[in-house]
Amino acid sequence: MKIILYLSDYVIPLTIFYIVGFGLLMKRPVYDDFVKGAKEGAKTVAGIMPTLVGLMVGVGVLRASGFLNTLSDFLGQW
């Protein structure tokens, strides 16, 4: 278990260094590629955000009304 904790501290930095190093070896404009990917990611987030907010509000309303508890009690009897 201790080795997993040790490895988990270094996985993300090593992945970032690997990606940057690989990009440099392939002579890619690493920063420009990063900025382009960040812009595409922001567009994706903006596209799915209304759906996610609607789902979270819907689940919150169902939980507050007690419907989900009633449904789980009903399904738990089966």
Side-chain angles (χ1 to χ4, degrees):
M1 183 69 176
K2 192 170 185 176
I3 192 156
I4 293 173
L5 293 173
Y6 178 76
L7 286 175
S8 67
D9 289 338
Y10 296 103
V11 168
I12 292 177
L14 287 175
T15 303
I16 292 170
F17 285 128
Y18 173 77
I19 292 169
V20 171
F22 186 77
L24 291 173
L25 285 175
M26 295 293 125
K27 300 192 188 308
R28 298 279 309 166
V30 178
Y31 183 75
D32 293 337
D33 288 345
F34 172 77
V35 171
K36 182 179 175 184
K39 285 181 184 178
E40 291 175 9
K43 288 178 186 176
T44 301
V45 168
I48 65 171
M49 187 60 71
T51 304
L52 291 176
V53 169
L55 285 170
M56 288 188 286
V57 168
V59 170
V61 167
L62 288 174
R63 288 184 69 197
S65 71
F67 177 75
L68 290 180
N69 289 334
T70 304
L71 182 64
S72 67
D73 291 341
F74 176 73
L75 292 176
Q77 293 175 0
W78 288 24

